[in-house]
């Protein structure tokens, strides 16, 4: 259970960062990560709502982090 909680806090955040680097858009990255999480929920890899909550928190944190990074990049280039 602890291992799944740690992974739920880390992997969605890292996926958002990775997908943002690949697609150059944090909205697309959030959508791709949410789709992967939803697919894993449908396959039954999630046992409790606590893990789902941690996934959502990590997804939101990743989205906010990358939105801030994009805003900083626009501010530096202007």
């Amino acid at each position: 259970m602890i291992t799944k909680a740690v992974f739920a806090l880390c992997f969605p955040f890292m996926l958002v960062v990775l997908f943002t680097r690949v697609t150059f858009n944090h909205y697309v990255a959030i959508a791709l990560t949410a789709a992967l999480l939803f697919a894993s929920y449908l396959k039954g890899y999630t046992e409790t709502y606590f893990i789902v909550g941690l996934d959502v928190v990590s997804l939101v944190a990743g989205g906010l982090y990358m939105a801030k990074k994009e805003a900083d990049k626009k501010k530096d280039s202007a």
Side-chain angles (χ1 to χ4, degrees):
M1 177 72 176
I2 301 253
T3 305
K4 284 189 178 185
V6 170
F7 286 153
L9 281 173
C10 296
F11 282 133
F13 182 89
M14 291 189 301
L15 281 174
V16 170
V17 171
L18 173 74
F19 287 149
T20 302
R21 295 288 185 172
V22 171
T23 64
F24 300 107
N25 190 337
H26 69 280
Y27 295 117
V28 173
I30 292 169
L32 288 172
T33 305
L36 284 174
L37 289 175
F38 185 69
S40 72
Y41 301 151
L42 289 179
K43 290 292 275 184
Y45 296 125
T46 305
E47 298 169 355
T48 64
Y49 290 114
F50 177 69
I51 299 297
V52 174
L54 291 178
D55 281 335
V56 170
V57 166
S58 180
L59 179 70
V60 169
L64 291 174
Y65 175 75
M66 290 314 294
K68 183 180 180 307
K69 289 294 240 185
E70 285 185 3
D72 289 346
K73 187 169 50 169
K74 283 183 183 178
K75 187 175 75 170
D76 287 342
S77 66

